[in-house]
Coordinates of all heavy atoms in Angstrom, one line a residue:
M1 N 49.4 -130.9 -27.8 CA 50.8 -131.2 -28.0 C 50.8 -132.3 -29.1 O 50.7 -132.1 -30.3 CB 51.4 -131.7 -26.8 CG 51.5 -130.6 -25.7 SD 53.1 -129.9 -25.9 CE 53.6 -129.8 -24.2
G2 N 51.0 -133.6 -28.7 CA 51.1 -134.6 -29.6 C 49.8 -135.5 -29.8 O 49.6 -136.1 -30.8
G3 N 49.1 -135.5 -28.7 CA 47.8 -136.2 -28.8 C 48.0 -137.7 -28.3 O 49.1 -138.1 -28.0
W4 N 46.9 -138.4 -28.3 CA 46.9 -139.7 -27.8 C 47.6 -140.7 -28.7 O 48.3 -141.7 -28.3 CB 45.5 -140.2 -27.6 CG 44.6 -140.3 -28.8 CD1 43.9 -139.3 -29.3 CD2 44.5 -141.4 -29.6 NE1 43.3 -139.7 -30.5 CE2 43.6 -141.0 -30.7 CE3 45.0 -142.7 -29.6 CZ2 43.3 -141.9 -31.7 CZ3 44.7 -143.6 -30.6 CH2 43.8 -143.2 -31.7
A5 N 47.7 -140.4 -30.0 CA 48.4 -141.3 -31.0 C 49.9 -141.3 -30.8 O 50.5 -142.4 -30.8 CB 48.0 -140.9 -32.4
L6 N 50.4 -140.1 -30.5 CA 51.8 -140.0 -30.2 C 52.2 -140.7 -28.9 O 53.2 -141.4 -28.8 CB 52.2 -138.5 -30.1 CG 53.7 -138.3 -29.8 CD1 54.6 -138.9 -31.0 CD2 54.0 -136.8 -29.7
E7 N 51.3 -140.6 -27.9 CA 51.6 -141.2 -26.6 C 51.5 -142.8 -26.8 O 52.4 -143.5 -26.2 CB 50.6 -140.8 -25.6 CG 50.7 -139.3 -25.2 CD 52.1 -139.1 -24.6 OE1 52.6 -139.9 -23.8 OE2 52.6 -138.0 -24.9
I8 N 50.6 -143.3 -27.6 CA 50.6 -144.7 -27.8 C 51.8 -145.2 -28.6 O 52.4 -146.2 -28.3 CB 49.3 -145.1 -28.6 CG1 48.1 -144.9 -27.6 CG2 49.3 -146.5 -29.1 CD1 46.7 -145.1 -28.3
G9 N 52.2 -144.4 -29.5 CA 53.4 -144.8 -30.3 C 54.7 -144.8 -29.4 O 55.5 -145.7 -29.5
K10 N 54.8 -143.8 -28.5 CA 55.9 -143.7 -27.6 C 55.9 -144.9 -26.7 O 56.9 -145.5 -26.4 CB 56.0 -142.4 -26.9 CG 56.4 -141.2 -27.7 CD 56.7 -139.9 -26.9 CE 55.8 -139.7 -25.7 NZ 56.0 -138.3 -25.1
M11 N 54.7 -145.2 -26.1 CA 54.6 -146.3 -25.2 C 54.9 -147.6 -25.9 O 55.6 -148.5 -25.3 CB 53.2 -146.4 -24.6 CG 53.1 -147.3 -23.5 SD 54.3 -146.9 -22.2 CE 53.4 -147.3 -20.8
A12 N 54.5 -147.8 -27.1 CA 54.8 -149.0 -27.9 C 56.4 -149.1 -28.1 O 56.9 -150.2 -27.9 CB 54.1 -149.0 -29.2
L13 N 57.0 -148.0 -28.4 CA 58.4 -148.0 -28.6 C 59.1 -148.3 -27.2 O 60.1 -149.1 -27.2 CB 58.9 -146.6 -29.1 CG 60.4 -146.5 -29.3 CD1 60.8 -147.4 -30.5 CD2 60.8 -145.1 -29.7
Y14 N 58.7 -147.7 -26.2 CA 59.3 -148.0 -24.8 C 59.2 -149.4 -24.4 O 60.1 -150.0 -23.8 CB 58.6 -147.1 -23.8 CG 58.9 -145.6 -23.9 CD1 58.0 -144.7 -23.4 CD2 60.0 -145.1 -24.5 CE1 58.2 -143.3 -23.5 CE2 60.2 -143.8 -24.6 CZ 59.3 -142.9 -24.1 OH 59.5 -141.5 -24.2
M15 N 58.1 -150.1 -24.8 CA 57.9 -151.5 -24.5 C 58.6 -152.4 -25.5 O 59.1 -153.5 -25.1 CB 56.4 -151.8 -24.4 CG 55.7 -151.0 -23.2 SD 54.0 -151.2 -23.2 CE 53.8 -152.9 -22.8
T16 N 58.6 -152.1 -26.7 CA 59.1 -153.0 -27.7 C 60.6 -153.0 -27.8 O 61.3 -154.0 -28.0 CB 58.6 -152.6 -29.1 OG1 57.2 -152.5 -29.1 CG2 59.0 -153.5 -30.2
F17 N 61.3 -151.8 -27.6 CA 62.7 -151.7 -27.8 C 63.5 -152.6 -26.8 O 64.3 -153.4 -27.2 CB 63.2 -150.3 -27.6 CG 64.6 -150.1 -27.8 CD1 65.2 -150.2 -29.0 CD2 65.5 -149.9 -26.7 CE1 66.6 -150.0 -29.2 CE2 66.8 -149.7 -26.8 CZ 67.4 -149.8 -28.1
P18 N 63.2 -152.6 -25.5 CA 63.9 -153.5 -24.6 C 63.7 -155.0 -24.9 O 64.6 -155.8 -24.8 CB 63.4 -153.2 -23.2 CG 62.8 -151.8 -23.3 CD 62.3 -151.7 -24.7
V19 N 62.4 -155.3 -25.2 CA 62.1 -156.7 -25.5 C 62.9 -157.2 -26.8 O 63.4 -158.3 -26.8 CB 60.6 -156.9 -25.7 CG1 60.3 -158.3 -26.2 CG2 59.9 -156.6 -24.3
A20 N 62.9 -156.3 -27.8 CA 63.6 -156.7 -29.0 C 65.1 -156.8 -28.8 O 65.7 -157.7 -29.3 CB 63.3 -155.6 -30.1
M21 N 65.7 -155.9 -28.0 CA 67.1 -156.0 -27.7 C 67.4 -157.3 -26.9 O 68.4 -157.9 -27.1 CB 67.6 -154.8 -26.9 CG 67.6 -153.5 -27.8 SD 68.8 -153.6 -29.2 CE 67.6 -153.9 -30.5
F22 N 66.5 -157.6 -25.9 CA 66.7 -158.8 -25.1 C 66.7 -160.0 -26.0 O 67.5 -160.9 -25.9 CB 65.6 -158.9 -24.1 CG 65.7 -160.1 -23.2 CD1 66.6 -160.2 -22.2 CD2 64.9 -161.2 -23.5 CE1 66.7 -161.4 -21.4 CE2 65.0 -162.4 -22.7 CZ 65.9 -162.4 -21.7
H23 N 65.7 -160.0 -27.0 CA 65.6 -161.2 -27.9 C 66.8 -161.2 -28.8 O 67.4 -162.3 -29.0 CB 64.4 -161.0 -28.7 CG 64.2 -162.1 -29.8 ND1 63.9 -163.4 -29.5 CD2 64.4 -162.0 -31.1 CE1 63.9 -164.1 -30.6 NE2 64.2 -163.3 -31.6
W24 N 67.3 -160.1 -29.3 CA 68.4 -160.1 -30.2 C 69.7 -160.5 -29.6 O 70.5 -161.4 -30.1 CB 68.6 -158.7 -30.8 CG 69.8 -158.5 -31.6 CD1 71.0 -158.0 -31.3 CD2 70.0 -158.9 -33.0 NE1 71.9 -158.1 -32.3 CE2 71.3 -158.6 -33.4 CE3 69.1 -159.5 -33.9 CZ2 71.8 -158.9 -34.7 CZ3 69.6 -159.8 -35.2 CH2 70.9 -159.5 -35.5
F25 N 70.0 -160.0 -28.4 CA 71.3 -160.3 -27.8 C 71.3 -161.6 -27.0 O 72.4 -162.0 -26.5 CB 71.7 -159.1 -26.8 CG 72.2 -157.9 -27.6 CD1 71.4 -156.8 -27.7 CD2 73.4 -157.9 -28.2 CE1 71.8 -155.7 -28.4 CE2 73.8 -156.8 -29.0 CZ 73.0 -155.7 -29.0
N26 N 70.2 -162.2 -26.8 CA 70.2 -163.5 -26.1 C 70.0 -164.7 -27.0 O 69.6 -165.8 -26.6 CB 69.1 -163.5 -25.0 CG 69.6 -162.7 -23.8 OD1 70.7 -162.9 -23.4 ND2 68.8 -161.8 -23.3
Q27 N 70.3 -164.5 -28.3 CA 70.3 -165.6 -29.2 C 71.5 -166.5 -28.9 O 72.6 -166.0 -28.7 CB 70.4 -165.1 -30.7 CG 69.2 -164.3 -31.1 CD 67.9 -165.2 -31.1 OE1 67.9 -166.3 -31.5 NE2 66.8 -164.6 -30.6
P28 N 71.3 -167.8 -28.9 CA 72.5 -168.7 -28.5 C 73.7 -168.6 -29.4 O 74.8 -168.6 -28.9 CB 71.9 -170.1 -28.6 CG 70.4 -170.0 -28.6 CD 70.1 -168.6 -29.1
E29 N 73.5 -168.4 -30.7 CA 74.7 -168.3 -31.6 C 75.5 -167.0 -31.3 O 76.7 -167.0 -31.2 CB 74.3 -168.3 -33.0 CG 73.5 -169.5 -33.5 CD 72.0 -169.4 -33.2 OE1 71.5 -168.3 -33.1 OE2 71.4 -170.5 -33.1
Y30 N 74.7 -165.9 -31.1 CA 75.4 -164.6 -30.9 C 76.1 -164.7 -29.5 O 77.2 -164.2 -29.3 CB 74.4 -163.5 -30.9 CG 75.0 -162.2 -30.6 CD1 75.7 -161.4 -31.5 CD2 74.8 -161.6 -29.3 CE1 76.3 -160.2 -31.2 CE2 75.3 -160.4 -29.0 CZ 76.1 -159.7 -29.9 OH 76.6 -158.5 -29.6
F31 N 75.3 -165.2 -28.5 CA 75.9 -165.2 -27.2 C 77.1 -166.1 -27.1 O 78.1 -165.7 -26.5 CB 74.8 -165.7 -26.2 CG 75.2 -165.7 -24.8 CD1 75.3 -164.5 -24.1 CD2 75.6 -166.8 -24.1 CE1 75.7 -164.4 -22.8 CE2 76.0 -166.8 -22.8 CZ 76.0 -165.6 -22.1
E32 N 77.1 -167.3 -27.7 CA 78.3 -168.2 -27.7 C 79.5 -167.5 -28.4 O 80.6 -167.6 -27.9 CB 77.9 -169.5 -28.4 CG 79.0 -170.5 -28.3 CD 78.6 -171.9 -28.8 OE1 77.4 -172.1 -29.0 OE2 79.5 -172.7 -29.1
R33 N 79.2 -166.9 -29.5 CA 80.3 -166.2 -30.2 C 80.9 -165.1 -29.4 O 82.1 -164.9 -29.3 CB 79.8 -165.7 -31.6 CG 80.9 -165.1 -32.4 CD 80.3 -164.7 -33.8 NE 78.9 -164.6 -33.9 CZ 78.3 -163.5 -34.2 NH1 79.0 -162.4 -34.6 NH2 76.9 -163.4 -34.2
W34 N 80.0 -164.3 -28.8 CA 80.5 -163.2 -28.0 C 81.3 -163.7 -26.8 O 82.3 -163.1 -26.4 CB 79.3 -162.3 -27.5 CG 79.7 -161.2 -26.7 CD1 80.3 -160.0 -27.0 CD2 79.5 -161.1 -25.2 NE1 80.5 -159.2 -25.9 CE2 80.0 -159.9 -24.8 CE3 79.0 -162.0 -24.3 CZ2 80.0 -159.5 -23.5 CZ3 79.0 -161.6 -23.0 CH2 79.5 -160.4 -22.6
V35 N 80.8 -164.7 -26.1 CA 81.5 -165.2 -24.9 C 82.8 -165.8 -25.3 O 83.8 -165.5 -24.6 CB 80.6 -166.3 -24.2 CG1 81.4 -167.1 -23.2 CG2 79.4 -165.7 -23.6
T36 N 82.9 -166.6 -26.3 CA 84.2 -167.1 -26.7 C 85.2 -166.1 -27.1 O 86.4 -166.1 -26.8 CB 84.1 -168.2 -27.8 OG1 83.4 -167.6 -28.9 CG2 83.3 -169.4 -27.4
E37 N 84.8 -165.1 -27.9 CA 85.7 -164.0 -28.2 C 86.2 -163.2 -27.0 O 87.3 -162.9 -26.9 CB 85.0 -163.0 -29.2 CG 84.8 -163.6 -30.6 CD 84.1 -162.7 -31.6 OE1 83.7 -161.6 -31.2 OE2 83.8 -163.2 -32.7
T38 N 85.2 -162.9 -26.1 CA 85.6 -162.2 -24.9 C 86.6 -163.0 -24.0 O 87.5 -162.5 -23.5 CB 84.4 -161.8 -24.1 OG1 83.5 -161.0 -25.0 CG2 84.7 -160.9 -22.9
K39 N 86.3 -164.3 -23.9 CA 87.2 -165.1 -23.1 C 88.6 -165.2 -23.7 O 89.5 -165.2 -23.0 CB 86.5 -166.5 -23.0 CG 87.3 -167.5 -22.1 CD 86.6 -168.8 -22.0 CE 87.4 -169.7 -21.1 NZ 86.8 -171.1 -21.1
R40 N 88.7 -165.3 -25.0 CA 90.0 -165.3 -25.7 C 90.7 -164.0 -25.5 O 91.9 -164.0 -25.4 CB 89.8 -165.6 -27.2 CG 89.5 -167.1 -27.4 CD 89.6 -167.4 -28.9 NE 89.2 -168.8 -29.0 CZ 88.4 -169.3 -30.0 NH1 88.0 -168.4 -30.9 NH2 88.2 -170.6 -30.0
Q41 N 90.0 -162.9 -25.4 CA 90.7 -161.6 -25.2 C 91.2 -161.5 -23.8 O 92.3 -161.0 -23.6 CB 89.7 -160.4 -25.5 CG 89.4 -160.2 -26.9 CD 88.3 -159.2 -27.2 OE1 87.8 -158.6 -26.2 NE2 88.1 -158.9 -28.4
I42 N 90.4 -161.9 -22.8 CA 90.8 -161.8 -21.4 C 91.8 -162.9 -21.1 O 92.8 -162.6 -20.4 CB 89.5 -162.0 -20.5 CG1 88.6 -160.8 -20.8 CG2 89.9 -162.0 -19.1 CD1 87.2 -160.9 -20.1
F43 N 91.6 -164.1 -21.5 CA 92.5 -165.2 -21.2 C 93.0 -165.8 -22.5 O 92.5 -166.8 -23.0 CB 91.8 -166.3 -20.4 CG 91.2 -165.8 -19.2 CD1 89.8 -165.8 -19.1 CD2 91.9 -165.5 -18.1 CE1 89.2 -165.3 -17.9 CE2 91.3 -165.1 -16.9 CZ 90.0 -165.0 -16.8
P44 N 94.1 -165.2 -23.1 CA 94.6 -165.7 -24.4 C 95.2 -167.1 -24.2 O 95.6 -167.4 -23.1 CB 95.6 -164.7 -24.8 CG 96.0 -164.0 -23.5 CD 94.8 -164.0 -22.6
P45 N 95.2 -167.9 -25.3 CA 95.8 -169.2 -25.2 C 97.3 -169.1 -24.7 O 98.0 -168.2 -25.0 CB 95.8 -169.7 -26.6 CG 94.8 -168.9 -27.3 CD 94.7 -167.6 -26.6
E46 N 97.6 -170.0 -23.8 CA 99.0 -170.0 -23.2 C 100.0 -170.4 -24.2 O 99.9 -171.4 -24.9 CB 99.0 -170.9 -22.0 CG 100.2 -170.7 -21.1 CD 100.0 -171.5 -19.8 OE1 99.2 -171.1 -19.0 OE2 100.7 -172.5 -19.6
N47 N 101.1 -169.6 -24.2 CA 102.3 -169.9 -25.0 C 103.4 -170.5 -24.1 O 103.7 -169.9 -23.1 CB 102.7 -168.6 -25.7 CG 103.8 -168.8 -26.7 OD1 104.4 -169.9 -26.8 ND2 104.1 -167.8 -27.5
K48 N 103.9 -171.6 -24.5 CA 104.9 -172.3 -23.7 C 106.1 -171.5 -23.5 O 106.7 -171.5 -22.5 CB 105.2 -173.7 -24.3 CG 104.1 -174.7 -24.2 CD 104.5 -176.0 -24.7 CE 103.4 -177.0 -24.5 NZ 103.7 -178.3 -25.0
E49 N 106.6 -170.8 -24.6 CA 107.8 -169.9 -24.5 C 107.6 -168.8 -23.5 O 108.5 -168.5 -22.6 CB 108.1 -169.4 -25.8 CG 108.5 -170.4 -26.8 CD 108.7 -169.8 -28.2 OE1 108.4 -168.6 -28.4 OE2 109.0 -170.6 -29.1
H50 N 106.4 -168.2 -23.5 CA 106.1 -167.1 -22.5 C 106.1 -167.7 -21.1 O 106.5 -167.0 -20.2 CB 104.8 -166.4 -22.9 CG 104.9 -165.6 -24.1 ND1 103.8 -165.3 -24.9 CD2 106.0 -165.0 -24.8 CE1 104.2 -164.6 -26.0 NE2 105.5 -164.4 -25.9
R51 N 105.4 -168.8 -21.0 CA 105.3 -169.5 -19.7 C 106.7 -169.8 -19.1 O 107.0 -169.5 -17.9 CB 104.5 -170.7 -19.8 CG 104.3 -171.5 -18.6 CD 103.3 -170.9 -17.7 NE 103.1 -171.7 -16.5 CZ 102.3 -171.4 -15.5 NH1 101.7 -170.3 -15.6 NH2 102.2 -172.2 -14.5
E52 N 107.6 -170.3 -19.9 CA 108.9 -170.6 -19.5 C 109.7 -169.3 -19.1 O 110.4 -169.3 -18.1 CB 109.7 -171.4 -20.6 CG 109.2 -172.8 -20.7 CD 109.9 -173.5 -21.9 OE1 110.8 -172.9 -22.5 OE2 109.5 -174.6 -22.2
A53 N 109.5 -168.3 -19.9 CA 110.2 -167.0 -19.6 C 109.7 -166.5 -18.2 O 110.5 -166.0 -17.4 CB 109.9 -166.0 -20.7
V54 N 108.4 -166.6 -18.0 CA 107.9 -166.1 -16.7 C 108.4 -166.9 -15.5 O 108.8 -166.4 -14.5 CB 106.3 -166.1 -16.7 CG1 105.8 -165.8 -15.3 CG2 105.8 -165.0 -17.7
E55 N 108.4 -168.2 -15.7 CA 109.0 -169.1 -14.7 C 110.4 -168.9 -14.4 O 110.9 -168.9 -13.2 CB 108.7 -170.6 -15.0 CG 107.3 -171.0 -14.9 CD 107.0 -172.4 -15.4 OE1 108.0 -173.1 -15.9 OE2 105.9 -172.9 -15.3
N56 N 111.2 -168.7 -15.5 CA 112.6 -168.3 -15.3 C 112.8 -167.0 -14.6 O 113.7 -166.9 -13.7 CB 113.4 -168.3 -16.6 CG 113.5 -169.7 -17.2 OD1 113.5 -170.7 -16.5 ND2 113.7 -169.8 -18.5
C57 N 112.0 -166.1 -14.9 CA 112.1 -164.8 -14.2 C 111.8 -164.9 -12.7 O 112.5 -164.3 -11.9 CB 111.2 -163.8 -14.9 SG 111.3 -162.1 -14.2
I58 N 110.7 -165.6 -12.4 CA 110.4 -165.9 -11.0 C 111.5 -166.6 -10.3 O 111.9 -166.2 -9.2 CB 109.1 -166.7 -10.9 CG1 107.9 -165.8 -11.4 CG2 108.8 -167.1 -9.5 CD1 106.6 -166.5 -11.6
K59 N 112.1 -167.6 -10.9 CA 113.2 -168.4 -10.3 C 114.4 -167.4 -10.1 O 115.0 -167.5 -9.0 CB 113.6 -169.5 -11.3 CG 114.6 -170.4 -10.7 CD 115.0 -171.5 -11.7 CE 116.1 -172.3 -11.3 NZ 116.5 -173.3 -12.3
T60 N 114.7 -166.6 -11.0 CA 115.8 -165.7 -10.9 C 115.6 -164.7 -9.7 O 116.5 -164.5 -8.9 CB 116.1 -164.9 -12.2 OG1 116.2 -165.8 -13.2 CG2 117.3 -164.0 -12.1
I61 N 114.4 -164.2 -9.6 CA 114.1 -163.2 -8.6 C 114.2 -163.9 -7.2 O 114.7 -163.4 -6.2 CB 112.7 -162.6 -8.8 CG1 112.8 -161.7 -10.0 CG2 112.2 -161.8 -7.6 CD1 111.5 -161.1 -10.5
R62 N 113.6 -165.1 -7.1 CA 113.7 -165.9 -5.8 C 115.1 -166.2 -5.4 O 115.5 -166.1 -4.2 CB 112.9 -167.2 -6.0 CG 111.4 -167.0 -5.9 CD 110.6 -168.3 -5.9 NE 109.2 -168.0 -5.9 CZ 108.3 -168.9 -6.2 NH1 108.6 -170.1 -6.6 NH2 107.0 -168.6 -6.1
E63 N 115.9 -166.6 -6.4 CA 117.3 -166.9 -6.1 C 118.1 -165.6 -5.6 O 118.8 -165.7 -4.6 CB 118.0 -167.5 -7.3 CG 117.6 -168.9 -7.6 CD 118.2 -169.4 -8.9 OE1 118.8 -168.5 -9.7 OE2 118.0 -170.6 -9.3
K64 N 117.8 -164.5 -6.2 CA 118.4 -163.2 -5.8 C 118.0 -162.9 -4.4 O 118.8 -162.5 -3.6 CB 118.0 -162.1 -6.8 CG 118.6 -160.8 -6.4 CD 118.2 -159.7 -7.4 CE 118.7 -158.4 -7.0 NZ 118.2 -157.3 -7.9
K65 N 116.7 -163.0 -4.1 CA 116.1 -162.7 -2.8 C 116.7 -163.7 -1.7 O 117.1 -163.2 -0.6 CB 114.6 -162.8 -2.8 CG 114.0 -162.2 -1.6 CD 114.2 -160.8 -1.6 CE 113.1 -160.0 -0.9 NZ 113.4 -158.6 -0.7
D66 N 116.9 -165.0 -2.1 CA 117.5 -165.9 -1.2 C 118.9 -165.5 -0.9 O 119.4 -165.6 0.3 CB 117.4 -167.3 -1.7 CG 116.0 -167.9 -1.7 OD1 115.2 -167.4 -1.0 OD2 115.8 -168.9 -2.4
R67 N 119.7 -165.1 -1.9 CA 121.1 -164.7 -1.7 C 121.2 -163.5 -0.8 O 122.0 -163.4 0.1 CB 121.8 -164.4 -3.0 CG 122.1 -165.7 -3.8 CD 123.1 -165.4 -4.9 NE 122.6 -164.3 -5.8 CZ 121.8 -164.6 -6.9 NH1 121.6 -165.8 -7.3 NH2 121.4 -163.6 -7.7
E68 N 120.2 -162.5 -1.0 CA 120.2 -161.4 -0.1 C 119.9 -161.7 1.3 O 120.5 -161.2 2.3 CB 119.2 -160.4 -0.6 CG 119.6 -159.7 -2.0 CD 118.5 -158.8 -2.5 OE1 117.4 -158.8 -1.9 OE2 118.7 -158.2 -3.6
L69 N 118.9 -162.6 1.5 CA 118.6 -163.0 2.9 C 119.7 -163.8 3.5 O 120.0 -163.6 4.7 CB 117.3 -163.9 2.9 CG 116.0 -163.1 2.6 CD1 114.8 -164.1 2.4 CD2 115.7 -162.1 3.7
L70 N 120.4 -164.6 2.8 CA 121.5 -165.4 3.3 C 122.6 -164.5 3.7 O 123.2 -164.6 4.8 CB 122.0 -166.4 2.3 CG 123.1 -167.4 2.8 CD1 122.6 -168.2 4.0 CD2 123.5 -168.3 1.6
A71 N 122.9 -163.5 2.9 CA 124.0 -162.5 3.2 C 123.6 -161.7 4.4 O 124.4 -161.4 5.3 CB 124.2 -161.6 2.0
A72 N 122.3 -161.3 4.6 CA 121.9 -160.6 5.8 C 122.0 -161.5 7.0 O 122.4 -161.0 8.1 CB 120.4 -160.1 5.6
L73 N 121.7 -162.7 6.9 CA 121.8 -163.6 8.1 C 123.3 -163.8 8.5 O 123.6 -163.8 9.6 CB 121.2 -165.0 7.8 CG 119.7 -165.1 7.9 CD1 119.2 -166.4 7.4 CD2 119.2 -164.9 9.3
E74 N 124.1 -164.0 7.5 CA 125.6 -164.1 7.8 C 126.1 -162.9 8.4 O 126.9 -162.9 9.3 CB 126.3 -164.5 6.5 CG 126.1 -165.9 6.0 CD 126.7 -166.1 4.6 OE1 127.2 -165.2 4.0 OE2 126.6 -167.3 4.2
E75 N 125.7 -161.7 7.9 CA 126.1 -160.5 8.5 C 125.6 -160.4 10.0 O 126.4 -159.9 10.9 CB 125.5 -159.3 7.7 CG 125.9 -157.9 8.2 CD 127.4 -157.6 8.0 OE1 128.0 -158.2 7.1 OE2 127.9 -156.8 8.8
L76 N 124.4 -160.8 10.2 CA 123.8 -160.7 11.6 C 124.6 -161.7 12.5 O 124.9 -161.3 13.6 CB 122.4 -161.1 11.5 CG 121.6 -161.0 12.9 CD1 121.6 -159.6 13.3 CD2 120.2 -161.6 12.7
E77 N 124.9 -162.9 12.0 CA 125.7 -163.9 12.8 C 127.1 -163.3 13.1 O 127.6 -163.5 14.2 CB 125.8 -165.2 12.1 CG 124.5 -166.0 12.1 CD 124.7 -167.3 11.3 OE1 125.8 -167.6 10.8 OE2 123.7 -168.0 11.3
R78 N 127.7 -162.7 12.1 CA 129.0 -162.1 12.3 C 129.0 -161.0 13.4 O 129.9 -160.9 14.2 CB 129.6 -161.6 11.0 CG 131.1 -161.3 11.0 CD 131.7 -161.1 9.6 NE 130.8 -160.6 8.6 CZ 130.7 -159.3 8.3 NH1 131.3 -158.4 8.9 NH2 129.9 -158.9 7.3
K79 N 128.0 -160.2 13.4 CA 127.9 -159.1 14.3 C 127.7 -159.7 15.8 O 128.1 -159.2 16.7 CB 126.7 -158.2 14.0 CG 127.1 -157.2 12.8 CD 125.9 -156.3 12.6 CE 126.3 -155.4 11.4 NZ 125.2 -154.4 11.2
E80 N 126.9 -160.8 15.8 CA 126.6 -161.4 17.1 C 127.9 -162.0 17.7 O 128.0 -162.0 18.9 CB 125.5 -162.4 17.0 CG 124.1 -161.9 16.8 CD 123.1 -162.9 16.7 OE1 123.4 -164.2 16.6 OE2 121.9 -162.6 16.6
K81 N 128.8 -162.6 16.9 CA 130.0 -163.2 17.4 C 131.0 -162.1 17.9 O 131.8 -162.4 18.8 CB 130.6 -164.0 16.3 CG 129.9 -165.3 16.0 CD 130.6 -166.1 14.9 CE 129.8 -167.3 14.6 NZ 130.5 -168.1 13.6
Q82 N 130.9 -160.9 17.4 CA 131.8 -159.9 17.8 C 131.5 -159.3 19.1 O 130.9 -159.2 19.9 CB 131.9 -158.8 16.8 CG 132.6 -159.2 15.5 CD 132.6 -158.1 14.5 OE1 132.1 -157.1 14.7 NE2 133.3 -158.4 13.4

């Protein structure tokens, strides 16, 4: 088939490739750049306008829910009095 030289070449490739990739991808500069870019993609910098819009939306939903609960309680009290 290939002989002993081919087998030695394949074994050298099998052993060298993972070590080379480990060395390449664990360089501090590359790793730091990759981590910061990934972190910015996952957790983008906070925008005050968006934050206020989300807080206003939450406040509006809570007020609506409170009004609904208050109306339901008043209806229940009115039924109990009758």
Side-chain angles (χ1 to χ4, degrees):
M1 296 266 228
W4 64 271
L6 180 62
E7 292 300 320
I8 290 176
K10 286 192 324 187
M11 190 58 145
L13 181 66
Y14 293 155
M15 293 173 67
T16 306
F17 182 74
V19 172
M21 291 298 104
F22 179 81
H23 176 71
W24 174 262
F25 286 108
N26 284 312
Q27 295 296 318
E29 300 86 23
Y30 177 80
F31 185 74
E32 185 175 345
R33 183 172 24 120
W34 177 76
V35 167
T36 54
E37 287 175 5
T38 304
K39 186 177 178 184
R40 284 188 183 138
Q41 288 175 356
I42 295 173
F43 305 108
E46 193 170 290
N47 187 346
K48 290 184 180 183
E49 294 172 358
H50 292 154
R51 177 76 174 177
E52 289 174 4
V54 169
E55 288 176 356
N56 289 337
C57 183
I58 291 172
K59 182 180 174 184
T60 305
I61 292 172
R62 284 184 179 161
E63 289 173 353
K64 180 181 176 185
K65 195 64 155 172
D66 288 343
R67 285 193 305 268
E68 290 174 357
L69 289 173
L70 186 59
L73 280 173
E74 289 173 353
E75 181 70 26
L76 185 63
E77 286 178 0
R78 193 166 27 95
K79 285 183 180 181
E80 286 180 354
K81 287 181 181 179
Q82 290 179 355

